[in-house]
């Protein structure tokens, strides 16, 4: 049987309140006004029984939303986030000065999960985890929790490991052999239910909704009650939920993204400017499976097998000057104009910033990358002489979605479709897009994020 030594959820379920499965919960975040289920647009249409559960959890401060008005039912959580939540719940001693982990795959240089290093170490010190692999050398911080893993965690947390071993295994090809007893007992106890076509979909990633309802049911068992039999159909996006690809187009769910970030020697700057980490988290919320690489370590060969590339504005542009991306036939979003310039897709390299402005003008409101917006749209909450909105000067075959207000040649959002050409004749190998990095993401408006989401998903379509 495959060994799953990560027993965090099991322990959480044995103590006090229901596990607050909130993304990147903050121990020192300022107190916010108490919300209810009606404050989240993706919870309003849930069955009443589920709404009552979520309303109780939200008002008790157990759950937070991903945004002010979106709970994120379909969002997935990784093991790094588990660690932080657990450390906060149990008030573990966390040494925030730690920069080296006892696990080989946990690093202070990881833009996405470096924040969790001291929390992961706190869990190990408290005896709550031994890691992920048999030898306890790795933790797998970015790893997701599958439905069959969730079933095992819940059953172990309830002290029913022996019962699972003797249970009649499920006859389900979607469940690995090691998990069939756990899944059988989880179904019997109404902790989880089958999804479409009577299958459990064991290898499918568990969502926040699944985690919340299943842990709620486990809590009922722990307190001596019987969990309600709750229908758990296969998750379907609700109108207004987290960003998703348009109907009948490629979804970001499960797609592999390569994120090219700053050079290795500058990784310590993440503490002062964590925009890469925030952007990677945003992409994961869209459904991407994100891998990052330092720009000085990137080669064209490392891009093979990915569905989308994002080139961060934090990278050192000198690593693009050789035309390293010229033959990479993978849809790419550049957050730095230099990337388009070195391919001949923008005619100006330097001095492509406008200061003391907050807005962009939507040039093509009907374009899918315009996210349904029109007119002048604010990208920044505040601006000053040091805060810039970047632009490029694209060629005649580009599609310009937005520009600097009053300057239609300065494009803040534009793209080239596969098969189009630069003015110098270079043929575009896959859809290539540019998005203006607007100051920093703490200063970005909701419209800024909406436009970025739309462009990323449109680029993924690779038309």
């Amino acid at each position: 049987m495959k060994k799953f030594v990560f027993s965090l959820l099991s322990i959480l379920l044995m103590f006090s309140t229901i596990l607050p499965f909130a993304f990147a919960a903050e121990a020192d975040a300022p107190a916010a006004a108490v919300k209810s289920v009606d404050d989240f647009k993706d919870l309003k249409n849930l069955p009443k029984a589920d709404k009552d559960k979520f309303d109780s959890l939200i008002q008790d401060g157990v759950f937070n939303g991903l945004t002010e008005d979106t709970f994120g039912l379909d969002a997935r959580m990784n093991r790094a986030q588990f660690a932080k939540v657990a450390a906060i719940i149990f008030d573990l001693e966390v040494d925030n000065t730690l920069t080296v982990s006892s696990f080989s795959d946990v690093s202070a240089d990881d833009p996405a999960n470096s924040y969790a290093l001291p929390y992961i170490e706190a869990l190990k010190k408290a005896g709550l985890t031994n890691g992920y692999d048999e030898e306890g050398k790795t933790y797998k911080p970015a790893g997701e929790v599958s439905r069959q893993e969730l079933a095992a965690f819940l059953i172990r947390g309830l002290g029913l490991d022996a019962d699972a071993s003797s249970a009649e295994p499920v006859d389900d090809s979607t469940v690995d052999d090691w998990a069939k007893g756990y899944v059988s007992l989880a179904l019997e106890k109404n902790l989880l239910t089958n999804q479409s076509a009577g299958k459990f979909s064991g290898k499918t990633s568990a969502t926040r909704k699944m985690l919340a309802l299943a842990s709620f049911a486990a809590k009922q068992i722990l307190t001596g009650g019987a969990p309600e039999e709750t229908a758990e159909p296969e998750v379907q996006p609700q109108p207004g939920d987290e960003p998703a690809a348009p109907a009948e187009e490629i979804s970001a769910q499960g797609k592999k993204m390569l994120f090219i970030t700053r050079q290795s020697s500058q990784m310590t700057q993440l503490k002062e400017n964590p925009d890469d980490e925030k952007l990677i988290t945003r992409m994961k919320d869209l459904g991407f499976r994100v891998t990052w690489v330092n720009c000085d370590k990137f080669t064209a060969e490392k891009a093979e097998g990915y569905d989308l590339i994002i080139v961060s504005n934090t990278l050192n542009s000198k690593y693009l000057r050789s035309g390293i991306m010229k033959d990479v036939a993978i849809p790419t979003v550049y957050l730095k104009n230099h990337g388009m310039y070195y391919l001949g897709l923008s005619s100006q390299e330097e001095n492509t910033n406008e200061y003391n402005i907050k807005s962009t003008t939507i040039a093509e409101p009907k374009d899918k990358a315009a996210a349904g917006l029109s007119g002048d749209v604010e990208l920044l909450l505040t601006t000053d002489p040091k805060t810039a909105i970047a632009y490029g000067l694209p060629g005649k075959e580009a599609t310009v979605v937005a520009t600097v207000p009053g300057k239609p040649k300065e494009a803040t959002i534009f793209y080239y479709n596969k098969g189009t050409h630069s003015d110098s004749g270079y043929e575009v190998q896959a859809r290539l897009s540019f998005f203006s990095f607007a100051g920093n993401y703490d200063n970005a408006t909701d419209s800024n994020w909406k436009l970025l989401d739309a462009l990323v998903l449109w680029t993924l379509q690779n038309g």
Side-chain angles (χ1 to χ4, degrees):
M1 179 185 295
K2 182 177 179 181
K3 183 180 179 184
F4 280 84
V5 295
F6 181 66
S7 58
L8 171 58
L9 180 57
S10 302
I11 297 169
L12 294 181
L13 290 169
M14 296 293 291
F15 288 85
S16 61
T17 60
I18 301 170
L19 177 65
F21 294 104
F23 276 144
E26 295 293 341
D28 54 355
V34 176
K35 288 182 174 290
S36 74
V37 70
D38 292 324
D39 291 313
F40 298 101
K41 57 190 178 185
D42 54 341
L43 298 183
K44 292 181 179 180
N45 295 323
L46 289 177
K48 185 178 185 306
D50 287 351
K51 284 185 68 173
D52 289 345
K53 294 173 186 177
F54 277 95
D55 197 47
S56 174
L57 297 173
I58 292 167
Q59 292 199 45
D60 287 344
V62 177
F63 280 85
N64 296 317
L66 294 184
T67 68
E68 284 298 310
D69 63 354
T70 302
F71 181 84
L73 289 172
D74 301 331
R76 297 173 287 186
M77 180 176 292
N78 66 29
R79 293 160 61 89
Q81 292 155 353
F82 269 124
K84 185 168 186 177
V85 170
I88 293 170
I89 290 172
F90 296 118
D91 196 25
L92 300 181
E93 182 179 347
V94 177
D95 183 355
N96 287 304
T97 66
L98 288 176
T99 58
V100 178
S101 173
S102 54
F103 296 110
S104 62
D105 58 349
V106 177
S107 170
D109 292 340
D110 183 347
N113 299 306
S114 59
Y115 72 90
L117 189 156
Y119 299 101
I120 293 169
E121 292 304 306
L123 293 189
K124 183 175 182 180
K125 184 178 180 181
L128 301 188
T129 182
N130 294 318
Y132 180 80
D133 62 325
E134 294 280 351
E135 295 79 19
K137 294 181 179 180
T138 63
Y139 181 80
K140 200 176 181 181
E144 296 169 359
V145 179
S146 69
R147 284 172 50 81
Q148 63 188 15
E149 288 175 310
L150 175 59
F153 292 153
L154 293 171
I155 294 302
R156 289 170 179 168
L158 292 170
L160 301 175
D161 209 339
D163 291 6
S165 297
S166 60
E168 180 70 24
V170 292
D171 183 13
D172 189 333
S173 61
T174 70
V175 179
D176 287 334
D177 288 343
W178 70 266
K180 288 184 175 180
Y182 292 108
V183 170
S184 177
L185 201 56
L187 292 172
E188 178 186 326
K189 298 291 184 182
N190 293 323
L191 298 173
L192 293 160
T193 65
N194 283 323
Q195 295 199 302
S196 59
K199 298 294 185 180
F200 186 76
S201 301
K203 299 174 187 177
T204 300
S205 296
T207 65
R208 278 164 57 90
K209 180 180 180 181
M210 294 173 192
L211 289 162
L213 293 178
S215 60
F216 191 97
K219 179 66 161 52
Q220 287 184 293
I221 294 176
L222 286 173
T223 55
E228 301 173 14
E229 187 170 349
T230 303
E232 185 200 334
E234 189 170 2
V235 175
Q236 298 293 335
Q238 299 287 332
D241 269 7
E242 295 174 79
E248 300 182 1
E249 294 183 356
I250 300 171
S251 168
Q253 292 298 321
K255 292 294 185 295
K256 296 176 65 178
M257 172 187 289
L258 183 64
F259 189 93
I260 307 176
T261 183
R262 66 189 76 212
Q263 63 193 73
S264 305
S265 61
Q266 297 177 336
M267 292 304 290
T268 55
Q269 294 178 6
L270 276 175
K271 294 180 179 179
E272 299 177 0
N273 183 20
D275 285 321
D276 282 343
E277 182 176 327
K278 295 171 188 174
L279 184 53
I280 287 173
T281 299
R282 182 77 177 191
M283 294 301 101
K284 287 183 177 180
D285 291 347
L286 282 172
F288 286 103
R289 301 171 68 90
V290 184
T291 301
W292 64 271
V293 62
N294 297 113
C295 55
D296 53 318
K297 305 294 184 182
F298 173 74
T299 63
E301 290 74 21
K302 289 186 177 180
E304 293 179 5
Y306 288 92
D307 301 293
L308 186 76
I309 298 172
I310 285 187
V311 179
S312 171
N313 97 306
T314 62
L315 99 167
N316 189 327
S317 60
K318 72 179 183 180
Y319 293 107
L320 300 178
R321 286 176 187 160
S322 64
I324 191 172
M325 301 291 285
K326 187 173 183 179
D327 297 320
V328 176
I330 299 172
T332 301
V333 178
Y334 289 93
L335 301 183
K336 198 162 190 173
N337 174 58
H338 296 75
M340 302 297 270
Y341 172 79
Y342 293 129
L343 295 176
L345 303 177
S346 178
S347 61
Q348 186 169 323
E349 178 181 9
E350 302 290 351
N351 302 316
T352 53
N353 291 323
E354 290 285 355
Y355 299 87
N356 286 318
I357 62 171
K358 297 168 60 177
S359 302
T360 190
T361 299
I362 303 297
E364 292 290 341
K366 294 183 179 180
D367 194 285
K368 291 183 179 180
L373 302 176
S374 61
D376 286 346
V377 175
E378 287 198 351
L379 298 181
L380 303 178
L381 298 171
T382 62
T383 190
D384 55 49
K386 294 183 179 180
T387 302
I389 288 181
Y391 65 85
L393 299 178
K396 59 187 177 182
E397 292 193 23
T399 298
V400 177
V401 178
T403 67
V404 171
K407 298 184 178 182
K409 293 184 179 180
E410 297 182 358
T412 56
I413 304 173
F414 65 94
Y415 62 85
Y416 285 81
N417 286 324
K418 179 180 179 181
T420 58
H421 298 80
S422 69
D423 288 351
S424 61
Y426 165 69
E427 183 173 338
V428 175
Q429 305 298 303
R431 181 172 284 159
L432 304 180
S433 304
F434 169 77
F435 183 86
S436 171
F437 178 79
N440 62 69
Y441 286 125
D442 282 337
N443 193 30
T445 64
D446 288 342
S447 294
N448 188 329
W449 283 112
K450 188 174 183 180
L451 286 166
L452 177 58
D453 292 341
L455 183 67
V456 166
L457 293 170
W458 176 238
T459 305
L460 179 65
Q461 311 308 313
N462 196 25

